[in-house]
Amino acid sequence: MTQYILALDQGTTSSRAIVFDRQGNILALAQKEFQQIFPQSGWVEHDADEIWAAQIGVANEALARIGIAASDIAAIGITNQRETTIVWDRNTGRPIHNAIVWQDRRTAGLADALKAAGHEPLFQHKTGLVIDAYFSGTKLKWLLDHVPGARAKADRGELAFGTVDSWLIWKLTNGALHITDVTNACRTLLYNLHTHDWDDELLTLLDIPRSLLPDVHRSSEVYGHTAAGLLGAQIPIAGIAGDQQAATFGQAALQSGMVKNTYGTGCFMLLNTGEKPIPSQHKLLTTVAWKVNDRTNYALEGSVFVAGAVVQWLRDGLGIIKRSEEVEALANSVPDNDGVYFVPAFVGLGAPYWDSYARGTIVGLSRGSTAAHIARAALESIAYQTADVIDAMRQDSQLSLPELRVDGGASRNDLLMQFQADILGVPVVRPKVTETTALGAAYLAGLAVGYWQDEAEILQLWQMDKRFEPCISPDRREMLRHAWRQAVSQARQPSQGITP
């Protein structure tokens, strides 16, 4: 009887492998960072071969750490950095260029041209996305247009495109499978949420041959098996989901109206909207949450560009803390922000503003303001930005919010989590296992092979670490949020006449 699930968590800066047991506990974790490549300003690349080497390396390492064989693994689940784009030669299996990472902005001009031509309503209706360099479609077009010989090879059907999940599965199966799942397909600007297929009209607009594209599958099914000799046994590959969707599944936010927020460098919020895609009127993204059996769940997604990064700036930019962990004690040394508000719009503002011209702003300073007040305002800014996105989600979905489930590094900060509950007016709940991205991939794989029976069993496995209840009055909450909105308006109106 196989006893474990192996999750491959391929992230933006590292590849990780985690072994889980039936209770969702972590038995082994191995991690390896890989090179970040910056060919010029605004460009970000990865070496796809290095990603593969790191990923297969940590998979073997995780098994070795607890002395188990590949034959003890019931299934593999894969979760990945989304939107990062790889094109490889079907015959040689070699990438034709470095992977273009989701953070890369080289196709911003192409995105602007598509918007100027009036195509944004079409893309938004069909894909649920805004036109932006963030997504895979424009990156794929760039590769075909700029790598010598690529377009001719693509026209002959000799090339394959994939996000990182597709690349890993190609390598794990020695080229037998060229697939993706719905959560990754729907982040390409090429996948139609309504027909559940690649969209020929959008492919034509971006000049992308359909022959490049992987087959789209559910997020939980047995797709195939690892190649013989790779890990020591042929293991079923049975789960795929992009990182934020996987984290939502790992949080057991399986019912309509449940929301999770991942606090990392930025914040990613997903609201489960059930079996119907809800178009956003407030600049959120409509996305597939997962497809299990024959049921597709959808989500609204909102991103905060600067969350944990504001704490890094306090450390590296201002120097008021030496380690990021010190920020909670410094902020706790004062009872409140004393009227100081910090809008960390270092790279503009994300949802629901999407204002690339906003700039970082601190307002309300007085002679009595201290480093502690600035630290507190910085932490509070993360909660305020989260509340702005959740307001938009509430308005788009007309769903009530019973609680906010949280994960990611900053979710360990009790001061921030309590303030988040206060400013939202709903409980904030932190789970015992915060490796929710890998756990979600494990759950999806385990469901496909009967390791876990159904979603009801997964709901029972979720365990709470701590619950933060709101403890300020509605009047106080509204007063604080009004002051925050005023600060945001200042950040969105940089002083006239000052040029960078």
Side-chain angles (χ1 to χ4, degrees):
M1 179 86 178
T2 49
Q3 296 296 315
Y4 312 105
I5 299 288
L6 175 62
L8 304 183
D9 182 356
Q10 205 298 299
T12 307
T13 58
S14 69
S15 294
R16 303 193 306 158
I18 302 180
V19 179
F20 291 96
D21 67 12
R22 289 185 190 280
Q23 286 68 50
N25 298 316
I26 294 172
L27 300 183
L29 186 155
Q31 177 170 343
K32 183 174 178 58
E33 293 188 0
F34 52 86
Q35 184 182 10
Q36 306 296 302
I37 303 166
F38 306 102
Q40 62 187 66
S41 178
W43 293 28
V44 190
E45 296 178 356
H46 292 156
D47 180 334
D49 285 327
E50 186 184 6
I51 285 177
W52 163 244
Q55 192 65 74
I56 194 63
V58 292
N60 280 299
E61 184 182 341
L63 300 184
R65 284 191 173 188
I66 50 173
I68 61 173
S71 56
D72 295 317
I73 299 296
I76 290 173
I78 294 172
T79 183
N80 55 285
Q81 51 166 318
R82 304 174 301 177
E83 297 96 15
T84 294
T85 300
I86 305 170
V87 176
W88 63 94
D89 188 299
R90 290 182 183 273
N91 297 316
T92 67
R94 295 302 309 277
I96 67 167
H97 189 275
N98 281 336
I100 301 182
V101 180
W102 59 272
Q103 300 158 311
D104 188 283
R105 302 301 299 174
R106 76 186 65 183
T107 59
L110 171 57
D112 289 343
L114 289 166
K115 286 188 278 191
H119 295 309
E120 185 147 52
L122 176 72
F123 276 90
Q124 187 163 21
H125 168 70
K126 289 191 171 192
T127 69
L129 309 176
V130 297
I131 294 178
D132 194 88
Y134 178 34
F135 303 108
S136 314
T138 61
K139 304 179 196 304
L140 175 52
K141 177 174 169 53
W142 188 95
L143 287 167
L144 295 180
D145 289 343
H146 290 82
V147 176
R151 190 163 286 285
K153 279 189 169 185
D155 289 338
R156 294 195 298 267
E158 296 174 8
L159 299 183
F161 152 75
T163 42
V164 174
D165 57 306
S166 301
W167 170 243
L168 292 180
I169 291 169
W170 176 278
K171 298 294 283 186
L172 284 166
T173 62
N174 198 23
L177 290 179
H178 181 213
I179 64 170
T180 189
D181 90 305
V182 287
T183 70
N184 284 289
C186 77
R187 310 293 294 194
T188 59
L189 281 174
L190 306 173
Y191 185 79
N192 190 313
L193 290 178
H194 310 288
T195 64
H196 302 286
D197 194 9
W198 302 114
D199 190 276
D200 288 324
E201 185 178 9
L202 303 181
L203 290 172
T204 299
L205 280 171
L206 286 169
D207 198 14
I208 293 170
R210 185 182 264 261
S211 63
L212 277 166
L213 305 178
D215 293 332
V216 183
H217 287 254
R218 291 173 291 192
S219 309
S220 177
E221 64 176 270
V222 177
Y223 314 105
H225 293 73
T226 58
L230 190 63
L231 289 165
Q234 291 186 276
I235 306 171
I237 303 168
I240 312 170
D243 52 11
Q244 298 308 320
Q245 289 97 327
T248 308
F249 204 86
Q251 278 277 30
L254 305 179
Q255 296 160 340
S256 180
M258 296 184 75
V259 186
K260 76 89 194 173
N261 191 23
T262 298
Y263 296 80
T265 301
C267 284
F268 289 92
M269 269 155 285
L270 268 74
L271 164 67
N272 186 334
T273 61
E275 295 181 50
K276 185 177 179 182
I278 295 178
S280 177
Q281 306 300 316
H282 298 87
K283 300 182 180 178
L284 303 177
L285 306 178
T286 304
T287 196
V288 176
W290 49 78
K291 184 176 183 180
V292 177
N293 299 320
D294 290 322
R295 193 184 78 251
T296 302
N297 267 71
Y298 295 89
L300 285 169
E301 178 175 329
S303 303
V304 170
F305 291 160
V306 175
V310 72
V311 177
Q312 295 168 343
W313 183 77
L314 295 179
R315 181 193 66 198
D316 303 332
L318 282 190
I320 63 174
I321 52 175
K322 287 187 170 61
R323 296 181 302 114
S324 296
E325 296 77 18
E326 296 171 9
V327 70
E328 184 172 7
L330 179 59
N332 247 331
S333 68
V334 290
D336 55 44
N337 65 12
D338 195 30
V340 177
Y341 290 83
F342 188 164
V343 184
F346 301 142
V347 290
L349 287 169
Y353 304 103
W354 290 100
D355 184 347
S356 60
Y357 299 100
R359 289 293 175 265
T361 304
I362 302 176
V363 301
L365 294 172
S366 70
R367 282 293 299 270
S369 300
T370 66
H373 293 115
I374 292 173
R376 192 174 188 104
L379 283 183
E380 291 178 352
S381 76
I382 301 171
Y384 282 122
Q385 291 178 96
T386 297
D388 288 344
V389 175
I390 286 177
D391 279 353
M393 288 180 166
R394 283 168 162 159
Q395 293 173 59
D396 276 338
S397 68
Q398 298 299 300
L399 294 170
S400 60
L401 177 66
E403 65 185 22
L404 177 67
R405 294 193 172 184
V406 298
D407 53 70
S411 72
R412 309 306 304 177
N413 186 311
D414 285 1
L415 172 65
L416 171 58
M417 293 300 100
Q418 182 58 56
F419 189 75
Q420 186 71 83
D422 289 343
I423 217 66
L424 282 176
V426 299
V428 167
V429 187
R430 185 172 63 207
K432 283 189 176 177
V433 176
T434 55
E435 293 286 355
T436 55
T437 303
L439 183 58
Y443 282 156
L444 289 165
L447 283 172
V449 297
Y451 187 83
W452 292 291
Q453 291 305 306
D454 51 31
E455 292 181 12
E457 184 178 355
I458 285 168
L459 282 168
Q460 292 177 337
L461 290 174
W462 187 90
Q463 291 183 290
M464 181 178 71
D465 171 52
K466 190 166 183 178
R467 183 179 180 92
F468 300 85
E469 296 284 351
C471 59
I472 64 173
S473 70
D475 288 345
R476 172 73 174 161
R477 181 179 305 119
E478 181 49 40
M479 185 187 76
L480 291 171
R481 294 205 60 189
H482 175 72
W484 165 256
R485 288 190 288 267
Q486 287 185 309
V488 170
S489 70
Q490 294 294 314
R492 299 184 71 187
Q493 297 172 30
S495 298
Q496 299 299 309
I498 299 177
T499 55

